[in-house]
Amino acid sequence: MLQNPAIPREAAPGFAVMAPGASGPASRHPGAPAQRSPETAAADESAAVSRFGPGSVWRLGGPQGGRALAPDPFLVAGIVNVTPDSFYDGGVHATCEAAVAHGLQLARDGADLVDVGGESTRPGSDPVPEAVELARVVPVVRELVRAVADPAFAVDPACAQGLFPPSSTRPLVSVDTTRAACAAACLEAGAAIVNDVSACSVDPGLVDVLVQYRPGYVLMHSQGTPKTMQAAPAYDDVVDEVLAFFERGLARLVAAGLPEEHVALDPGIGFGKLATHNLELLRGLPRFAALGRPIYLGLSNKSLFQGLFGLDVSARGPVTMTATALCGVRGAHVHRVHDVTAARQGLALARELFFHRACADGAGRGAP
């Protein structure tokens, strides 16, 4: 695992240490024995803080200046698809005006991030020409950055004052792209994050853009390309293989010059995985969180729910909300969703039920 050698893991950002004997979420687990040794109790409490405390700091650079995000314990990213063929809302926000209006509504609903994409990555999709992606995405990113910086912009008061307030009254904009040219243009336009489903494999020049601008970066696992990834995905142990992928990817990026604290990790639900693989990855979220980087998760309305429950896309909202809350408890920090309001409600409940003690002890904002 990569980390600054000068900072021991127990002192790393987002991983506060409980005092011996303190009570934490692990000690209230219904399956815990009535009597435990002090050593076992201390180990459980330390694990609980790592699992239930705030996420590690995610540093974001770019020409507009840098900042740091610390999931407390969650961040919500709203999805803006500027495409005619995305699986959930393809064509609905395909114009710049419609996409910007949708992105602003997601921001008012309490999105911490607004993620803009101009190329569908649904299974079986074909890539679009670079010029088309640039024409779709860059104007939307530029206008969203301008709009949320306007003094007239405001988050809905119900979000700003709730149990789980947004990380900022002015959300950040990210771009969902695999191309260096698109990433660079959007970073110049004010985007702060690059969300890349290819781990720099589609366009190796993207690494140079990341090193130059030092944005936040989402390193995602995928087996194959969107065109072929669902043909015959196979793993010996999907959790072990994705963990190894993250270790290699972090090492490669750090060696190239992008500090590890700029990277979030996405296991890539639905990207070259069968339903059984997706479920194993969701069960394995605590293992990914132990790498010390924010875990970014995109499972909103995905076909996993059709396979499990026979749900059409339009009927997957309630199970998406439930899964988002459950995965927050399991270790996911950043949740990429279509319905920001529903995600925030589910995560607010998870925060109160499972994170209240950690927050009250000073690891997060706390609740009255």
Side-chain angles (χ1 to χ4, degrees), residues 2-3 24 28 38 69 89 92 104 188 193 201 245 250 258 263 300 322 334:
L2 294 166
Q3 68 177 72
R28 297 193 295 272
L69 291 176
D89 56 2
V92 177
L104 285 175
E188 287 288 343
I193 296 167
S201 64
F245 167 85
L250 284 168
L258 182 69
V263 184
S300 182
T322 303
V334 188

Side-chain angles (χ1 to χ4, degrees), residues 96-122:
C96 180
E97 294 77 10
V100 170
H102 182 57
L104 285 175
Q105 186 58 56
L106 295 173
R108 294 187 188 101
D109 290 342
D112 301 289
L113 314 170
V114 179
D115 190 44
V116 182
E119 180 178 81
S120 175
T121 53
R122 60 179 173 77

